[in-house]
Amino acid sequence: MKDFDARHLVQTVVELGGNFLRFQPVGYLAYYPSKVLPVHEELGKRDLIVEVAQECRRAGIHQYCYVGYGVALMLTRDYIKKYPM
């Protein structure tokens, strides 16, 4: 998390000739300030969606953010009790 560099990510897309970046800001934890999903403890005040979006705009790259919510590993009984919808 601490080493994530949105500029480097987007520059790699540009170097590969891409014009679109599909970005998943949630693994087992959210990489943005979420009120619904548990947030990665190293996030601090960062918002990786915003960081990537700003770099994509600067480089003229389209961005699509998605959340693969509902993965069986995330929906354990303890998770649902801790984060009710």
Side-chain angles (χ1 to χ4, degrees), residues 10-83:
V10 173
Q11 186 59 38
T12 301
V13 171
V14 170
E15 289 172 6
L16 292 171
N19 65 354
F20 187 87
L21 174 63
R22 188 175 86 165
F23 177 68
Q24 182 177 357
V26 175
Y28 291 106
L29 301 168
Y31 304 124
Y32 62 93
S34 174
K35 293 181 180 178
V36 177
L37 300 171
V39 177
H40 195 288
E41 61 275 357
E42 292 179 7
L43 186 67
K45 296 184 186 280
R46 293 178 73 185
D47 183 334
L48 300 192
I49 294 175
V50 170
E51 291 179 24
V52 172
Q54 289 172 342
E55 291 301 323
C56 282
R57 280 189 210 105
R58 184 185 62 72
I61 301 293
H62 299 283
Q63 175 191 10
Y64 172 75
C65 253
Y66 70 100
V67 176
Y69 187 72
V71 176
L73 294 174
M74 290 178 65
L75 298 178
T76 64
R77 189 172 304 172
D78 291 337
Y79 179 90
I80 293 169
K81 284 180 185 177
K82 188 172 180 181
Y83 303 102

